[in-house]
Every structure is written in C-alpha cells, then in structure tokens.
Amino acid sequence: MRSVLAAAFVAFVVSIFGTPVAIRYLHRLKFGQEIREEGPKHHQSKRGTPTMGGIVFILATVIAYVVAQIVIGDHRISPTAVTLLGLFVGMGAVGFVDDYIKIRKKRSLGLNKRGKLIGQAVVAAAFAFLALNLPDEQGYTIASEKLSFIRDLDWAHLTQVGAALFFAFVVIAAANGVNLTDGLDGLATGPSIMVLLGYVLIGFWQYRHICGEVAGPNGYCYTVRDPLDTALIAAAAAGALAGFLWWNAPPARLFMGDTGALGIGGLIAGLALTTRTTLLLLILGGLFVIVTMSVVIQIISFRSTGKRVFRMAPLQHHFELAGWQETTIVVRFWIIAGFFVAAGLGIFFADYLNVLQQ
C-alpha cells in the first residue's frame, strides 16, 4: 500500500506543479484550442485556451510509477506495467497528432475519421499482441483469451484472434467514450479519476488474493498477472489527473485535448483487460457509456428519420442548449459517474461476500 500511495502522491505533485509550466510553454507556442462553430455559442470564449494538457499527466504517471518502484525497493518493471504504460502513451500519441493538426491548420477537426481509427487500431493491436503473448512463470498472460466480468468466464473463450479483435474494440471504444465526454471544463477528468480509483482498489485487492500466493476462504483467489503494478499505474494516473484537475476545473486554463482523452480512455480499457473485469467496465464507466450512446442514438435517428433526439450530441451539449450552467452539468455528471463506480465496486466485492457465506 505504501508504494500505491507514493505513486499517487508523486504523480499529483508532478502534475499540479508541472501543469502551469506547460500552460506557459503552450501559450508561447500558440497551441490554443480551436472551437467548433456549430457548438454552443458561449464556447467561442474558450478559443485559444492551451490544449494537449494530456502530455503533463501522461508524463507524471510514468515518472510516478518509476518512483514507486524505487519505494518498493526491487526496481522491477514488469511486462504488465510496460504494456499498460505503452498503451497509455501510444493512445496519447494518436491524440497528440490529432491535436497538432487542429492547431497547425487552425480548425476544430484534426485527423480524419479513418486516420484516427487506424492510429488507434495500430496501438490497440500492439497492446493485444503483448497482452496475449507474454506469460509469466505460472503461465498467466497479461490479459486473457476469455471474456471476463469479475473474473474470467470459463465458458466464454474467444481464441487468440477473437480476443485480439475484442481487445482492440474495447480500447477504441473506451478511448472515444472518454473523448466524447471531454466537452466541458473538468467533465471527463473527474469521472476518469473515479474509475481509476476503482481500479486501484480492484488491483490491490487482487494483489492481496492472487492465486498461488495468498488465497482467501474456500480457495478464493484471482488468476491475474502483476496486480500490484496494475494498482500502481491506476493510482499514479489518478493522482496525475487530480493535479491536472486543479487547472482544468471551470474555467479551465488548460484542456487535456485528444492527447489526454484518448490516452486516459485507452489506459482505463487496459486496466479492465488486465484485471479481467472487462464487462464490469460498462458499469464502472457508465457515464462514458451514456455519453457515447447519446451520440449513437443521435446519428441513427438523424440518418433514419431526419430528426434529432437531442438538441445536440454528446449529451452534455444537449443540457447546455437546454439552459443548464456548465458547472451544474459537470457536477451532476460527476455524481452520476460516482454512482456507477460505487455500483461497479459493489458488484466486484459482492463476489467475495458471496464466497464467505458459502
């Protein structure tokens, strides 16, 4: 637990003090956000606010993980950590290219849809290959070929090819879910911290009950690999985002951009896959699911009937156009996100309580 707390603290310090430096530097480079013309009119006042803030908390997470390993004392960087951090950095790099194109061409759209999807798919495919082909001494790979909820579902074997395709879908879906939610100051940052803290608890609990080392009642244990590193990275990312939120809260002085949104979404997907809680992510990240579905519903409705279900999608903009204040939307969405995370953790730990009652 000491190393987990150290990772969160170091990441927070690096992020909260590093973000003002990034703001000044990005201002000097004139890396300001472009705003969609068709969006809510008051958003035009945000034009020019520095973006690419994801660089700060991605870097803070990597630094904090390394420091936490020094605190532990074994200086061992596991393949699981390298793979998760690689996914975080890789998805962030795709977002960085998208943000850079927006800035250079002074438009609100960066990479075209095909280019962005190809970039995400390449990173997700690399993650899937490593996650499925790096077994440890016990034969546990970083992620499993089986579909998972609270743990692997023995009846749901996907095969290696099927699992790789599924991993890519989960990573891309989660990354874009966070990206769609990142439309108001602090809106995506708060729920992301909550989900990451959920994975800190899940990862540390699995570390305390890992098969082959420590088992609970009736042989209760988890067949996962390097769960402490999973908890460390989740804690570091949560701490880094908390430091970033200090400057991203309304009115934001720095946006995370696609650099941060795609990066953090990809990391959350990776944490779900490595902890064997893939389907549970639908609950833990319920807010991201709702926002994404609002876009899907809007597109299907408009293309099939010519009518819109919402004033504007994603969902947060519907409420803006309905007259809600930005801070009201952000806080209420955070509350919803908190309920989803609490429900997901409740389901996860209910499995243990069920074993105790047997």
Side-chain angles (χ1 to χ4, degrees):
M1 179 57 75
R2 182 181 62 176
S3 59
V4 173
L5 295 175
F9 177 75
V10 171
F12 175 78
V13 171
V14 172
S15 183
I16 198 169
F17 290 107
T19 300
V21 177
I23 292 172
R24 290 193 294 272
Y25 186 67
L26 291 168
H27 259 306
R28 193 176 304 129
L29 293 176
K30 298 183 179 180
F31 278 12
Q33 178 71 47
E34 295 296 327
I35 305 296
R36 294 166 55 189
E37 294 294 337
E38 65 272 21
K41 297 304 180 184
H42 68 273
H43 280 208
Q44 296 304 317
S45 64
K46 301 182 181 183
R47 187 185 300 273
T49 301
T51 187
M52 294 186 182
I55 295 172
V56 179
F57 59 74
I58 291 174
L59 182 61
T61 300
V62 175
I63 292 172
Y65 172 75
V66 173
V67 172
Q69 288 297 334
I70 295 173
V71 171
I72 293 173
D74 61 5
H75 308 283
R76 183 187 68 87
I77 299 178
S78 71
T80 300
V82 173
T83 303
L84 281 173
L85 292 174
L87 178 61
F88 195 14
V89 173
M91 293 299 286
V94 175
F96 177 87
V97 173
D98 188 53
D99 287 332
Y100 186 75
I101 291 174
K102 293 175 186 175
I103 293 166
R104 292 291 295 178
K105 296 191 175 182
K106 296 187 180 302
R107 65 188 191 191
S108 61
L109 297 176
L111 283 170
N112 59 39
K113 292 179 181 179
R114 178 179 296 180
K116 187 181 288 189
L117 182 61
I118 290 173
Q120 293 176 46
V122 169
V123 175
F127 168 79
F129 176 79
L130 294 174
L132 293 167
N133 291 281
L134 292 176
D136 62 7
E137 297 80 6
Q138 295 178 293
Y140 296 161
T141 50
I142 296 169
S144 171
E145 293 181 11
K146 296 176 181 178
L147 191 64
S148 61
F149 181 44
I150 296 173
R151 58 183 72 240
D152 282 340
L153 302 173
D154 291 333
W155 52 267
H157 193 277
L158 302 174
T159 75
Q160 187 164 98
V161 173
L165 292 173
F166 179 66
F167 287 7
F169 171 77
V170 172
V171 169
I172 293 171
N176 285 283
V178 174
N179 198 24
L180 289 171
T181 308
D182 182 36
L184 302 178
D185 298 351
L187 181 58
T189 310
S192 295
I193 292 171
M194 296 178 200
V195 175
L196 288 166
L197 290 176
Y199 276 111
V200 173
L201 295 175
I202 289 172
F204 192 75
W205 183 260
Q206 290 179 335
Y207 166 68
R208 296 298 299 270
H209 299 87
I210 189 169
C211 293
E213 295 185 18
V214 181
N218 300 326
Y220 182 94
C221 64
Y222 296 92
T223 54
V224 293
R225 177 172 180 178
D226 305 315
L228 181 57
D229 276 9
T230 300
L232 284 173
I233 291 172
L241 277 174
F244 174 77
L245 182 59
W246 183 271
W247 305 99
N248 183 236
R253 293 184 57 190
L254 178 65
F255 297 142
M256 68 168 65
D258 281 19
T259 305
L262 294 183
I264 204 67
L267 176 62
I268 287 172
L271 292 169
L273 291 164
T274 56
T275 57
R276 274 65 161 176
T277 57
T278 311
L279 295 180
L280 187 64
L281 180 58
L282 292 171
I283 301 173
L284 289 167
L287 176 66
F288 302 132
V289 175
I290 290 173
V291 171
T292 302
M293 289 307 300
S294 72
V295 175
V296 173
I297 291 169
Q298 187 86 323
I299 292 173
I300 293 175
S301 176
F302 188 75
R303 289 183 177 177
S304 59
T305 68
K307 297 180 179 179
R308 292 179 171 86
V309 176
F310 306 103
R311 289 182 171 90
M312 184 177 179
L315 188 60
Q316 61 269 25
H317 298 315
H318 168 82
F319 290 111
E320 277 192 291
L321 295 180
W324 290 24
Q325 294 296 315
E326 180 171 345
T327 51
T328 300
I329 298 169
V330 170
V331 172
R332 288 177 178 173
F333 274 41
W334 283 12
I335 292 170
I336 294 170
F339 277 125
F340 274 115
V341 172
L345 290 174
I347 292 170
F348 179 82
F349 288 109
D351 179 62
Y352 178 73
L353 296 177
N354 183 54
V355 172
L356 289 179
Q357 294 172 0
Q358 291 177 359

